[in-house]
Amino acid sequence: MHSFVRVCSGPVMDLIWLFCDGNPQLFYQFVNMPFAFLFYCLARQGHLSVINRYVYLTLGGFIFAIVTMGPYSLLLFFSAVLLLLLIYCLHPTRIHQWTMGLQMCWQTFWHLYIQYQLYWLQETPDSRLLLAISALMLMTQRVSSLSLDLQEGTVTSPFQNSSQDLSVLIPFLSYSLNFPALLGGPLCSFNTFVWSVRQMSVTPPLGSYLRRLTSKILQVLVLVWIKYPLKELLKSFTFRVNSPCVCQNKIWIWILSLLLKMNYYAHWKVSECVNNAAGIGFHGFSHSGKKSWDGLSDGSPWVTEALSRPSAFARQWNRTTAVWLRRMVFKRSNRSPLFMTFLFSAWWHGLHPGQILGFIIWAVTVQGDYKIHHFLHPMLTSKWRKWLYVCLNWAFTQLTISCVVVCVELQSLESVKLLWSSYIAVLPLLSVLIIIIL
């Protein structure tokens, strides 16, 4: 058990750790929630001024990073200080290139160090370092999003009017280190973050806030519970290399990918809960007059899993990250924007061999989906043809995404052997043929 869990040991903590299935990020986000709720209550009742709210969020992130990551929290503090220096020294029109370049170099250095430990030294990296690098990846999203906002003029530079008051940098520091977003998304823009912090005293009644928060926590509990029957189902199937029963191995890979995806869904949903508990994510009122707390979300797992096209799945999966990739790479690439976006995603994730292969498979699958949909759509003239197309495409989407998830999660090229021995690797090759033929 992690050192932090041992320090905070007790019946409640042990129960939460057991429920989180030993997942430290999920555990820390559950522990984070009471502090986020306390922050919202204090801000709502007027006990915290706007500047004190920023200080609370920043100080909370500072303490949370040190407690969970130890000395490796310096990775995040370096990035936060670097951002402030660049904002202070550079003109807004030049800040994005420098911020993105330096931040990705800093992140890549630590990713390559992890690979050096894994593949060269054959050592298991420190769990605190892995946690810090995961947080550093999220930091990259925030600082690059902010730097592009500054360059495009949607965020005003704090020194635009020749002001030398360094206190104007506090919201920027708070945005980069705020504790609700430290270990999980969803990615929130700087303007949304500032608006949320300033408007906490005029957000909806506490009753609607608590009902919505309770509903999302229950969704997290369901997602974590689903993992247990999936594990038992996985144990009931035996994976046999070069087995004549092709379907059994494919089902085993599919169940494994579902189990891995549930980890993601649970983490994204609990991170959404932490942000909502801190009062971040209120989206105003819908047309029917209902309060909406879905302004900050990585999407619904139920909607994502029901999608019948790989391209739609790619847009819905980890939605705020998909929007970030589209903004950072896809819209700014002149050649092959689709493949450049997926290759950049592999770079951002760590450049492990399995990750590179997984994102190449995903790019090929999405490109093939565009081709085949454009070719078959005019032929879907009857209802039964449309239903048949949707069902077959859903199965194809599930199996190809299974290839991607297994490759990305296993990271090494051992995942290739696993996929090839189950014959499920034929499906990405089918996408390659579709691109060539059509």
Side-chain angles (χ1 to χ4, degrees):
M1 189 179 287
H2 200 276
S3 57
F4 176 76
V5 184
R6 290 198 297 269
V7 170
C8 303
S9 60
V12 177
M13 286 294 183
D14 292 342
L15 181 62
I16 295 175
W17 178 260
L18 181 64
F19 178 76
C20 292
D21 198 26
N23 185 335
Q25 287 178 303
L26 194 62
F27 172 79
Y28 290 141
Q29 291 295 66
F30 269 112
V31 174
N32 225 350
M33 210 170 298
F35 299 100
F37 181 70
L38 175 63
F39 165 74
Y40 179 72
C41 290
L42 291 174
R44 181 182 176 81
Q45 294 174 7
H47 298 303
L48 294 175
S49 64
V50 173
I51 192 68
N52 286 336
R53 294 171 196 174
Y54 288 128
V55 172
Y56 186 114
L57 291 169
T58 308
L59 189 60
F62 185 82
I63 296 172
F64 192 54
I66 292 176
V67 169
T68 58
M69 305 168 202
Y72 299 111
S73 58
L74 291 173
L75 274 66
L76 303 182
F77 301 153
F78 175 83
S79 292
V81 172
L82 178 63
L83 173 66
L84 299 185
L85 287 174
L86 292 173
I87 292 174
Y88 181 76
C89 297
L90 296 179
H91 191 272
T93 56
R94 299 173 54 204
I95 192 172
H96 179 65
Q97 290 82 354
W98 280 94
T99 303
M100 191 67 166
L102 291 174
Q103 182 66 23
M104 284 302 297
C105 287
W106 178 241
Q107 178 182 303
T108 303
F109 170 80
W110 289 103
H111 271 141
L112 294 178
Y113 177 69
I114 289 292
Q115 294 198 41
Y116 170 72
Q117 285 186 308
L118 285 172
Y119 305 128
W120 184 261
L121 299 179
Q122 301 290 313
E123 294 177 353
T124 302
D126 191 330
S127 60
R128 295 176 300 173
L129 174 59
L130 295 176
L131 195 65
I133 292 178
S134 177
L136 187 63
M137 293 168 63
L138 297 170
M139 175 79 80
T140 299
Q141 288 189 342
R142 292 194 295 277
V143 299
S144 62
S145 176
L146 173 56
S147 64
L148 190 54
D149 285 340
L150 286 166
Q151 180 172 298
E152 294 177 345
T154 56
V155 171
T156 304
S157 172
F159 303 109
Q160 187 171 350
N161 298 322
S162 301
S163 171
Q164 297 299 317
D165 184 6
L166 296 181
S167 64
V168 296
L169 290 174
I170 292 177
F172 296 90
L173 180 63
S174 183
Y175 175 68
S176 61
L177 284 178
N178 73 93
F179 72 91
L182 201 67
L183 291 181
L187 176 62
C188 172
S189 70
F190 179 76
N191 285 332
T192 300
F193 172 76
V194 170
W195 182 87
S196 297
V197 172
R198 290 178 177 175
Q199 298 296 319
M200 283 181 182
S201 57
V202 294
T203 46
L206 197 60
S208 65
Y209 159 83
L210 289 175
R211 283 194 298 271
R212 189 59 178 164
L213 186 61
T214 303
S215 171
K216 291 188 177 183
I217 292 174
L218 289 175
Q219 291 181 50
V220 177
L221 300 182
V222 170
L223 289 168
V224 175
W225 177 82
I226 289 175
K227 291 167 56 179
Y228 292 96
L230 285 176
K231 283 183 179 179
E232 294 302 318
L233 199 57
L234 203 62
K235 292 176 183 177
S236 65
F237 283 87
T238 304
F239 186 90
R240 294 185 177 89
V241 178
N242 298 324
S243 170
C245 185
V246 177
C247 291
Q248 180 175 331
N249 284 351
K250 287 184 178 180
I251 292 173
W252 192 90
I253 293 290
W254 179 60
I255 296 173
L256 173 62
S257 72
L258 279 178
L259 180 60
L260 295 172
K261 284 189 283 185
M262 287 303 146
N263 286 327
Y264 282 107
Y265 291 138
H267 178 66
W268 295 335
K269 187 57 68 174
V270 76
S271 298
E272 185 181 331
C273 288
V274 174
N275 278 276
N276 287 171
I280 303 172
F282 176 63
H283 199 232
F285 296 85
S286 64
H287 295 293
S288 60
K290 294 183 179 178
K291 296 88 179 174
S292 173
W293 281 92
D294 293 327
L296 198 60
S297 174
D298 273 318
S300 166
W302 328 114
V303 172
T304 304
E305 290 300 315
L307 294 172
S308 60
R309 292 187 59 189
S311 56
F313 195 100
R315 288 190 295 270
Q316 189 70 21
W317 173 264
N318 198 1
R319 190 166 60 193
T320 56
T321 296
V323 172
W324 174 73
L325 288 168
R326 184 177 182 84
R327 186 185 180 205
M328 293 293 134
V329 186
F330 188 85
K331 291 183 177 180
R332 301 168 66 85
S333 298
N334 296 323
R335 294 184 178 180
S336 304
L338 178 66
F339 284 92
M340 292 298 293
T341 302
F342 280 98
L343 287 175
F344 178 84
S345 184
W347 179 19
W348 178 71
H349 277 84
L351 288 176
H352 287 270
Q355 292 174 334
I356 296 173
L357 177 63
F359 283 105
I360 290 175
I361 290 174
W362 204 346
V364 169
T365 302
V366 170
Q367 186 66 32
D369 175 58
Y370 287 141
K371 297 280 187 181
I372 195 68
H373 183 74
H374 179 73
F375 178 74
L376 292 180
H377 186 69
M379 303 179 188
L380 304 177
T381 54
S382 62
K383 192 172 183 178
W384 72 267
R385 286 186 180 183
K386 291 179 181 179
W387 274 104
L388 180 62
Y389 174 75
V390 168
C391 292
L392 292 177
N393 218 16
W394 178 84
F396 178 78
T397 301
Q398 286 289 314
L399 293 176
T400 50
I401 294 300
S402 298
C403 294
V404 174
V405 171
V406 170
C407 280
V408 171
E409 281 296 298
L410 297 186
Q411 297 183 343
S412 69
L413 291 177
E414 290 298 320
S415 58
V416 181
K417 298 179 182 178
L418 183 66
L419 296 176
W420 192 256
S421 61
S422 67
Y423 301 105
I424 200 172
V426 173
L427 295 174
L429 295 178
L430 182 61
S431 295
V432 174
L433 288 176
I434 290 172
I435 294 174
I436 294 172
I437 294 173
L438 298 182

